[in-house]
PDB file of all heavy atoms in Angstrom:
ATOM      1  N   GLY B 457     276.745  45.300  35.125  1.00 97.00           N
ATOM      2  CA  GLY B 457     277.581  46.152  35.966  1.00 97.00           C
ATOM      3  C   GLY B 457     276.960  46.379  37.329  1.00 97.00           C
ATOM      4  O   GLY B 457     277.654  46.397  38.358  1.00 97.00           O
ATOM      5  N   VAL B 458     275.654  46.567  37.340  1.00 98.00           N
ATOM      6  CA  VAL B 458     274.956  46.750  38.623  1.00 98.00           C
ATOM      7  C   VAL B 458     275.074  45.481  39.463  1.00 98.00           C
ATOM      8  O   VAL B 458     275.323  45.526  40.671  1.00 98.00           O
ATOM      9  CB  VAL B 458     273.482  47.129  38.373  1.00 98.00           C
ATOM     10  CG1 VAL B 458     272.683  47.080  39.665  1.00 98.00           C
ATOM     11  CG2 VAL B 458     273.387  48.509  37.736  1.00 98.00           C
ATOM     12  N   LYS B 459     274.903  44.340  38.800  1.00 98.00           N
ATOM     13  CA  LYS B 459     275.035  43.061  39.521  1.00 98.00           C
ATOM     14  C   LYS B 459     276.421  42.963  40.164  1.00 98.00           C
ATOM     15  O   LYS B 459     276.558  42.596  41.346  1.00 98.00           O
ATOM     16  CB  LYS B 459     274.812  41.918  38.527  1.00 98.00           C
ATOM     17  CG  LYS B 459     275.260  40.533  38.989  1.00 98.00           C
ATOM     18  CD  LYS B 459     274.326  39.913  39.985  1.00 98.00           C
ATOM     19  CE  LYS B 459     274.729  38.459  40.296  1.00 98.00           C
ATOM     20  NZ  LYS B 459     274.049  37.936  41.469  1.00 98.00           N
ATOM     21  N   THR B 460     277.441  43.323  39.420  1.00 97.00           N
ATOM     22  CA  THR B 460     278.799  43.237  39.952  1.00 97.00           C
ATOM     23  C   THR B 460     279.013  44.251  41.077  1.00 97.00           C
ATOM     24  O   THR B 460     279.735  43.971  42.041  1.00 97.00           O
ATOM     25  CB  THR B 460     279.821  43.478  38.813  1.00 97.00           C
ATOM     26  OG1 THR B 460     279.544  42.544  37.764  1.00 97.00           O
ATOM     27  CG2 THR B 460     281.236  43.285  39.298  1.00 97.00           C
ATOM     28  N   ALA B 461     278.380  45.405  40.950  1.00 97.00           N
ATOM     29  CA  ALA B 461     278.529  46.410  42.005  1.00 97.00           C
ATOM     30  C   ALA B 461     278.011  45.881  43.341  1.00 97.00           C
ATOM     31  O   ALA B 461     278.629  46.062  44.382  1.00 97.00           O
ATOM     32  CB  ALA B 461     277.775  47.679  41.615  1.00 97.00           C
ATOM     33  N   PHE B 462     276.894  45.199  43.304  1.00 98.00           N
ATOM     34  CA  PHE B 462     276.301  44.677  44.538  1.00 98.00           C
ATOM     35  C   PHE B 462     276.919  43.338  44.942  1.00 98.00           C
ATOM     36  O   PHE B 462     277.031  43.034  46.126  1.00 98.00           O
ATOM     37  CB  PHE B 462     274.785  44.476  44.355  1.00 98.00           C
ATOM     38  CG  PHE B 462     273.959  45.711  44.510  1.00 98.00           C
ATOM     39  CD1 PHE B 462     273.786  46.588  43.453  1.00 98.00           C
ATOM     40  CD2 PHE B 462     273.336  46.003  45.717  1.00 98.00           C
ATOM     41  CE1 PHE B 462     273.010  47.726  43.583  1.00 98.00           C
ATOM     42  CE2 PHE B 462     272.555  47.146  45.867  1.00 98.00           C
ATOM     43  CZ  PHE B 462     272.391  48.009  44.789  1.00 98.00           C
ATOM     44  N   ASP B 463     277.247  42.527  43.973  1.00 98.00           N
ATOM     45  CA  ASP B 463     277.634  41.134  44.236  1.00 98.00           C
ATOM     46  C   ASP B 463     278.892  40.798  43.433  1.00 98.00           C
ATOM     47  O   ASP B 463     278.817  40.072  42.432  1.00 98.00           O
ATOM     48  CB  ASP B 463     276.458  40.219  43.844  1.00 98.00           C
ATOM     49  CG  ASP B 463     276.786  38.743  44.011  1.00 98.00           C
ATOM     50  OD1 ASP B 463     277.575  38.404  44.918  1.00 98.00           O
ATOM     51  OD2 ASP B 463     276.255  37.932  43.223  1.00 98.00           O
ATOM     52  N   PRO B 464     280.036  41.308  43.863  1.00 97.00           N
ATOM     53  CA  PRO B 464     281.254  41.119  43.069  1.00 97.00           C
ATOM     54  C   PRO B 464     281.614  39.653  42.869  1.00 97.00           C
ATOM     55  O   PRO B 464     282.209  39.289  41.859  1.00 97.00           O
ATOM     56  CB  PRO B 464     282.326  41.843  43.894  1.00 97.00           C
ATOM     57  CG  PRO B 464     281.588  42.724  44.832  1.00 97.00           C
ATOM     58  CD  PRO B 464     280.262  42.114  45.066  1.00 97.00           C
ATOM     59  N   THR B 465     281.236  38.795  43.826  1.00 94.00           N
ATOM     60  CA  THR B 465     281.588  37.382  43.698  1.00 94.00           C
ATOM     61  C   THR B 465     280.668  36.646  42.743  1.00 94.00           C
ATOM     62  O   THR B 465     280.989  35.551  42.280  1.00 94.00           O
ATOM     63  CB  THR B 465     281.497  36.686  45.069  1.00 94.00           C
ATOM     64  OG1 THR B 465     280.140  36.772  45.520  1.00 94.00           O
ATOM     65  CG2 THR B 465     282.415  37.343  46.087  1.00 94.00           C
ATOM     66  N   GLY B 466     279.525  37.207  42.470  1.00 96.00           N
ATOM     67  CA  GLY B 466     278.570  36.549  41.576  1.00 96.00           C
ATOM     68  C   GLY B 466     277.922  35.309  42.166  1.00 96.00           C
ATOM     69  O   GLY B 466     277.333  34.498  41.447  1.00 96.00           O
ATOM     70  N   LEU B 467     277.979  35.157  43.480  1.00 97.00           N
ATOM     71  CA  LEU B 467     277.444  33.943  44.106  1.00 97.00           C
ATOM     72  C   LEU B 467     275.979  34.085  44.523  1.00 97.00           C
ATOM     73  O   LEU B 467     275.327  33.100  44.866  1.00 97.00           O
ATOM     74  CB  LEU B 467     278.278  33.583  45.344  1.00 97.00           C
ATOM     75  CG  LEU B 467     279.724  33.153  45.060  1.00 97.00           C
ATOM     76  CD1 LEU B 467     280.516  33.081  46.359  1.00 97.00           C
ATOM     77  CD2 LEU B 467     279.733  31.790  44.358  1.00 97.00           C
ATOM     78  N   CYS B 468     275.483  35.319  44.536  1.00 98.00           N
ATOM     79  CA  CYS B 468     274.122  35.536  45.031  1.00 98.00           C
ATOM     80  C   CYS B 468     273.120  35.227  43.910  1.00 98.00           C
ATOM     81  O   CYS B 468     272.988  35.995  42.955  1.00 98.00           O
ATOM     82  CB  CYS B 468     273.981  36.971  45.522  1.00 98.00           C
ATOM     83  SG  CYS B 468     272.384  37.306  46.234  1.00 98.00           S
ATOM     84  N   ASN B 469     272.458  34.119  44.040  1.00 98.00           N
ATOM     85  CA  ASN B 469     271.447  33.676  43.076  1.00 98.00           C
ATOM     86  C   ASN B 469     271.924  33.795  41.631  1.00 98.00           C
ATOM     87  O   ASN B 469     271.324  34.518  40.818  1.00 98.00           O
ATOM     88  CB  ASN B 469     270.135  34.446  43.270  1.00 98.00           C
ATOM     89  CG  ASN B 469     268.949  33.718  42.668  1.00 98.00           C
ATOM     90  OD1 ASN B 469     269.076  32.573  42.212  1.00 98.00           O
ATOM     91  ND2 ASN B 469     267.808  34.359  42.674  1.00 98.00           N
ATOM     92  N   PRO B 470     272.990  33.088  41.293  1.00 96.00           N
ATOM     93  CA  PRO B 470     273.530  33.206  39.939  1.00 96.00           C
ATOM     94  C   PRO B 470     272.618  32.554  38.904  1.00 96.00           C
ATOM     95  O   PRO B 470     271.721  31.785  39.246  1.00 96.00           O
ATOM     96  CB  PRO B 470     274.869  32.463  40.034  1.00 96.00           C
ATOM     97  CG  PRO B 470     274.658  31.470  41.124  1.00 96.00           C
ATOM     98  CD  PRO B 470     273.724  32.114  42.111  1.00 96.00           C
ATOM     99  N   ALA B 471     272.877  32.858  37.661  1.00 93.00           N
ATOM    100  CA  ALA B 471     272.142  32.271  36.526  1.00 93.00           C
ATOM    101  C   ALA B 471     270.648  32.539  36.617  1.00 93.00           C
ATOM    102  O   ALA B 471     269.824  31.740  36.190  1.00 93.00           O
ATOM    103  CB  ALA B 471     272.401  30.763  36.432  1.00 93.00           C
ATOM    104  N   THR B 472     270.320  33.659  37.211  1.00 96.00           N
ATOM    105  CA  THR B 472     268.922  34.087  37.298  1.00 96.00           C
ATOM    106  C   THR B 472     268.838  35.511  36.747  1.00 96.00           C
ATOM    107  O   THR B 472     269.750  36.305  36.956  1.00 96.00           O
ATOM    108  CB  THR B 472     268.460  34.063  38.773  1.00 96.00           C
ATOM    109  OG1 THR B 472     268.572  32.737  39.254  1.00 96.00           O
ATOM    110  CG2 THR B 472     267.030  34.530  38.915  1.00 96.00           C
ATOM    111  N   THR B 473     267.780  35.813  36.083  1.00 97.00           N
ATOM    112  CA  THR B 473     267.476  37.130  35.514  1.00 97.00           C
ATOM    113  C   THR B 473     268.398  37.469  34.334  1.00 97.00           C
ATOM    114  O   THR B 473     267.938  37.603  33.208  1.00 97.00           O
ATOM    115  CB  THR B 473     267.558  38.254  36.563  1.00 97.00           C
ATOM    116  OG1 THR B 473     266.827  37.881  37.716  1.00 97.00           O
ATOM    117  CG2 THR B 473     266.995  39.548  35.997  1.00 97.00           C
ATOM    118  N   LEU B 474     269.662  37.653  34.587  1.00 97.00           N
ATOM    119  CA  LEU B 474     270.574  38.093  33.527  1.00 97.00           C
ATOM    120  C   LEU B 474     271.155  36.898  32.784  1.00 97.00           C
ATOM    121  O   LEU B 474     271.543  35.908  33.408  1.00 97.00           O
ATOM    122  CB  LEU B 474     271.716  38.912  34.122  1.00 97.00           C
ATOM    123  CG  LEU B 474     271.333  40.184  34.883  1.00 97.00           C
ATOM    124  CD1 LEU B 474     272.582  40.914  35.343  1.00 97.00           C
ATOM    125  CD2 LEU B 474     270.478  41.094  34.019  1.00 97.00           C
TER     126      LEU B 474
END
Side-chain angles (χ1 to χ4, degrees):
Chain B
V458 170
K459 165 76 173 167
T460 305
F462 279 84
D463 177 32
T465 62
L467 293 169
C468 183
N469 200 7
T472 299
T473 311
L474 300 183

